[in-house]
Coordinates of all heavy atoms in Angstrom, one line a residue:
Chain A
R198 N -4.4 46.2 -8.0 CA -5.4 46.1 -9.0 C -6.5 45.2 -8.6 O -7.6 45.4 -8.7 CB -4.8 45.5 -10.3 CG -3.8 46.4 -10.9 CD -3.4 45.8 -12.3 NE -3.4 46.9 -13.2 CZ -3.3 46.7 -14.6 NH1 -3.6 45.6 -15.1 NH2 -3.3 47.8 -15.3
I199 N -6.0 44.0 -8.1 CA -6.9 42.9 -7.7 C -7.9 43.6 -6.5 O -9.0 43.4 -6.4 CB -6.2 41.8 -7.2 CG1 -5.5 41.1 -8.4 CG2 -7.2 40.7 -6.6 CD1 -4.5 40.1 -8.1
S200 N -7.1 44.1 -5.4 CA -7.8 44.6 -4.3 C -8.9 45.6 -4.6 O -10.1 45.5 -4.1 CB -6.9 45.2 -3.2 OG -6.2 44.0 -2.6
L201 N -8.6 46.6 -5.5 CA -9.4 47.6 -5.8 C -10.6 47.1 -6.8 O -11.8 47.5 -6.4 CB -8.7 48.8 -6.6 CG -7.7 49.6 -5.9 CD1 -7.1 50.7 -6.8 CD2 -8.4 50.2 -4.7
T202 N -10.3 46.2 -7.6 CA -11.3 45.6 -8.4 C -12.3 44.9 -7.5 O -13.6 45.0 -7.6 CB -10.7 44.6 -9.4 OG1 -9.6 45.1 -10.0 CG2 -11.8 44.3 -10.6
V203 N -11.8 44.0 -6.7 CA -12.7 43.3 -5.7 C -13.6 44.3 -4.9 O -14.8 44.2 -4.8 CB -11.9 42.4 -4.8 CG1 -12.8 41.9 -3.7 CG2 -11.2 41.3 -5.4
G204 N -12.9 45.5 -4.5 CA -13.7 46.3 -3.6 C -14.8 47.0 -4.4 O -16.0 47.0 -4.0
V205 N -14.6 47.5 -5.6 CA -15.5 48.1 -6.4 C -16.6 47.1 -6.8 O -17.8 47.4 -6.7 CB -14.9 48.7 -7.7 CG1 -15.9 49.1 -8.7 CG2 -13.9 49.8 -7.3
I206 N -16.3 45.9 -7.4 CA -17.3 44.9 -7.9 C -18.1 44.4 -6.7 O -19.4 44.3 -6.8 CB -16.5 43.8 -8.6 CG1 -15.9 44.5 -9.8 CG2 -17.7 42.8 -9.0 CD1 -15.4 43.5 -10.9
A207 N -17.5 44.1 -5.6 CA -18.1 43.5 -4.4 C -19.2 44.5 -3.9 O -20.3 44.2 -3.7 CB -17.3 43.1 -3.3
I208 N -18.8 45.8 -3.7 CA -19.7 46.8 -3.2 C -20.8 47.2 -4.2 O -22.0 47.3 -3.9 CB -18.9 48.1 -2.8 CG1 -18.0 47.7 -1.5 CG2 -19.8 49.3 -2.6 CD1 -17.5 48.9 -0.8
G209 N -20.4 47.2 -5.6 CA -21.3 47.4 -6.6 C -22.4 46.3 -6.4 O -23.7 46.6 -6.6
L210 N -22.1 45.1 -6.3 CA -23.0 43.9 -6.3 C -23.9 44.1 -5.1 O -25.2 43.9 -5.2 CB -22.2 42.6 -6.2 CG -23.0 41.4 -6.3 CD1 -23.6 41.3 -7.7 CD2 -22.2 40.2 -6.0
A211 N -23.3 44.4 -3.9 CA -24.1 44.7 -2.7 C -25.1 45.7 -2.8 O -26.3 45.7 -2.5 CB -23.2 45.0 -1.5
L212 N -24.6 46.8 -3.6 CA -25.6 48.0 -3.8 C -26.8 47.5 -4.8 O -27.9 47.8 -4.7 CB -24.9 49.2 -4.4 CG -24.0 49.9 -3.5 CD1 -23.2 50.8 -4.3 CD2 -24.8 50.6 -2.4
L213 N -26.3 46.7 -5.8 CA -27.3 46.3 -6.8 C -28.4 45.3 -6.1 O -29.5 45.5 -6.6 CB -26.6 45.4 -7.8 CG -26.9 45.5 -9.3 CD1 -26.8 47.0 -9.7 CD2 -26.1 44.7 -10.2
I214 N -27.9 44.6 -5.2 CA -29.0 43.8 -4.6 C -29.6 44.6 -3.5 O -30.9 44.6 -3.3 CB -28.4 42.5 -3.8 CG1 -27.5 41.7 -4.8 CG2 -29.4 41.7 -3.2 CD1 -26.7 40.7 -4.1
L260 N -11.5 34.2 -7.4 CA -11.6 35.5 -7.2 C -13.2 36.0 -7.4 O -13.7 36.8 -6.7 CB -10.7 36.3 -8.1 CG -10.2 37.6 -7.5 CD1 -9.6 37.5 -6.2 CD2 -9.0 38.2 -8.5
T261 N -13.7 35.5 -8.5 CA -15.1 35.9 -8.9 C -16.0 35.5 -7.8 O -16.8 36.3 -7.3 CB -15.5 35.0 -10.0 OG1 -14.4 34.9 -11.0 CG2 -16.6 35.6 -10.7
V263 N -15.2 35.2 -4.6 CA -15.0 36.1 -3.5 C -15.9 37.3 -3.6 O -16.6 37.8 -2.7 CB -13.4 36.6 -3.5 CG1 -13.3 37.8 -2.6 CG2 -12.7 35.4 -2.9
M264 N -16.0 37.9 -4.8 CA -16.7 39.2 -5.0 C -18.2 38.8 -4.9 O -18.9 39.5 -4.1 CB -16.5 39.6 -6.5 CG -15.1 40.0 -6.8 SD -14.9 40.7 -8.4 CE -13.5 40.0 -9.0
I265 N -18.6 37.6 -5.3 CA -20.0 37.3 -5.1 C -20.3 37.1 -3.6 O -21.3 37.6 -3.1 CB -20.2 35.9 -6.0 CG1 -20.2 36.1 -7.4 CG2 -21.6 35.4 -5.5 CD1 -20.3 34.9 -8.2
I267 N -18.8 38.4 -1.1 CA -18.9 39.5 -0.3 C -20.1 40.4 -0.6 O -20.8 40.9 0.4 CB -17.6 40.4 -0.5 CG1 -16.3 39.6 0.0 CG2 -17.7 41.7 0.2 CD1 -15.0 40.3 -0.3
G268 N -20.5 40.4 -1.9 CA -21.6 41.2 -2.2 C -22.9 40.5 -1.6 O -23.7 41.2 -1.1
V269 N -22.9 39.2 -1.5 CA -24.1 38.6 -1.0 C -24.2 38.8 0.5 O -25.3 39.0 1.2 CB -24.2 37.1 -1.3 CG1 -25.2 36.4 -0.6 CG2 -24.4 36.9 -2.7
F326 N -15.4 50.3 2.1 CA -14.4 50.0 1.1 C -13.2 49.2 1.8 O -12.8 48.1 1.4 CB -13.9 51.1 0.1 CG -13.5 50.8 -1.1 CD1 -14.5 50.8 -2.1 CD2 -12.3 50.5 -1.4 CE1 -14.2 50.4 -3.4 CE2 -11.9 50.0 -2.7 CZ -12.9 50.2 -3.7
V329 N -14.1 45.8 3.0 CA -14.2 44.8 1.8 C -12.9 44.3 1.5 O -12.7 43.1 1.2 CB -15.1 45.4 0.8 CG1 -15.0 44.5 -0.5 CG2 -16.5 45.5 1.1

Side-chain angles (χ1 to χ4, degrees):
Chain A
R198 297 188 137 195
I199 295 166
S200 289
L201 290 182
T202 317
V203 169
V205 169
I206 296 185
I208 288 188
L210 187 68
L212 289 174
L213 216 60
I214 308 172
L260 208 53
T261 324
V263 164
M264 299 185 224
I265 294 175
I267 295 177
V269 169
F326 211 91
V329 167

